[in-house]
Amino acid sequence: MVEQNEETPDRSANQERTDELGTPDKAAEPETTPTETAAEEPAEGNDDEVVSGDAEVSGEDESEIAADYLEELLDIADLDGDIDIEVRQNRAYISVVTEENEEDLELLVGRRGEVLDALQELVRLSVLASTGQRSRLILDVAGYRDRRGDELKTMAEDAIASVKDSGNACHLKPLSPYERKIVHDIVAENGLHSESEGEGSKRHIVISVEATRDDVVEGDA
């Protein structure tokens, strides 16, 4: 069943924050890995920005295609779930929800959302295959992204407080592109500077009082 609902974010579950909150910098050697600021976060996985010149499918079309794909997937996996369609921050937000047996849907989330991220890319590819245009839709299952968003907010606020108190930069644990974008926005709202460093699975955010290097890095956008 496909439903269009008002945005109703779930509240977060408790999670160990110290596993993700890094320690302040200690006059270490200069970083040599690629960096970028919040505005230049690369479109890895198509989560963080629109690449100039790329046409995008309309929200209504991509939502219908995504819903059809997900309904077929749920039937094949013999899982019960309803599909809600919303628009958040000018992009389609597709949620798979259920009032019963939510634990079954957790199979589509996986450890730290890894299965969910992979499934999101499959849904985006289904849109691309049907329309020839890229999609930036966000997929959520069983409220995971809302809960994770609350955890990221708490983690970012702890790091911000640490940086303000000590004046030292703080490295966070690696995050996905979508999660990094959330943290970048929170840091910006609090008047501090953030940039991503590292590559691949080691890409993480560094929060500091102010920028210490050029904001624009060639080839990073």
Side-chain angles (χ1 to χ4, degrees), residues 40-205:
E40 291 141 5
E41 184 77 31
E44 176 187 347
N46 298 338
D47 280 322
D48 298 332
E49 66 180 6
V50 179
V51 177
S52 177
D54 273 350
E56 292 195 21
V57 64
S58 71
E60 183 176 354
D61 289 342
E62 67 179 345
S63 296
E64 292 177 355
I65 294 168
D68 289 343
Y69 181 90
L70 290 168
E71 286 180 336
E72 183 175 354
L73 174 68
L74 291 173
D75 287 342
I76 292 173
D78 195 24
L79 295 173
D80 293 327
D82 295 327
I83 299 173
D84 292 346
I85 299 174
E86 308 170 59
V87 176
R88 299 188 185 183
Q89 298 181 340
N90 298 319
R91 66 169 77 180
Y93 195 99
I94 316 295
S95 302
V96 181
V97 298
T98 184
E99 295 181 359
E100 299 179 358
N101 300 322
E102 190 170 277
E103 291 184 359
D104 290 343
L105 285 184
E106 293 291 341
L107 295 173
L108 300 179
V109 175
R111 179 179 178 273
R112 299 183 63 80
E114 292 174 351
V115 175
L116 175 57
D117 287 341
L119 181 57
Q120 176 176 275
E121 289 308 307
L122 289 176
V123 175
R124 289 176 171 181
L125 286 173
S126 74
V127 175
L128 176 63
S130 298
T131 67
Q133 296 175 316
R134 61 175 289 189
S135 168
R136 296 175 66 238
L137 68 79
I138 298 298
L139 175 65
D140 190 14
V141 173
Y144 172 81
R145 293 210 189 277
D146 285 329
R147 295 193 301 272
R148 181 62 174 158
D150 288 335
E151 293 167 358
L152 290 169
K153 184 173 186 287
T154 299
M155 178 188 70
E157 289 174 344
D158 287 348
I160 289 167
S162 173
V163 171
K164 286 182 175 179
D165 288 344
S166 68
N168 295 322
C170 183
H171 290 252
L172 304 183
K173 293 291 185 180
L175 300 171
S176 71
Y178 178 73
E179 292 176 340
R180 292 199 303 270
K181 180 64 167 62
I182 292 174
V183 174
H184 279 313
D185 289 345
I186 295 172
V187 173
E189 288 172 0
N190 283 269
L192 294 185
H193 174 78
S194 64
E195 61 184 18
S196 293
E197 295 185 357
E199 297 178 332
S201 62
K202 295 183 179 180
R203 198 157 186 79
H204 64 283
I205 288 178

Side-chain angles (χ1 to χ4, degrees), residues 23-29 168-171:
T23 56
D25 270 349
K26 298 179 181 177
E29 310 125 14
N168 295 322
C170 183
H171 290 252

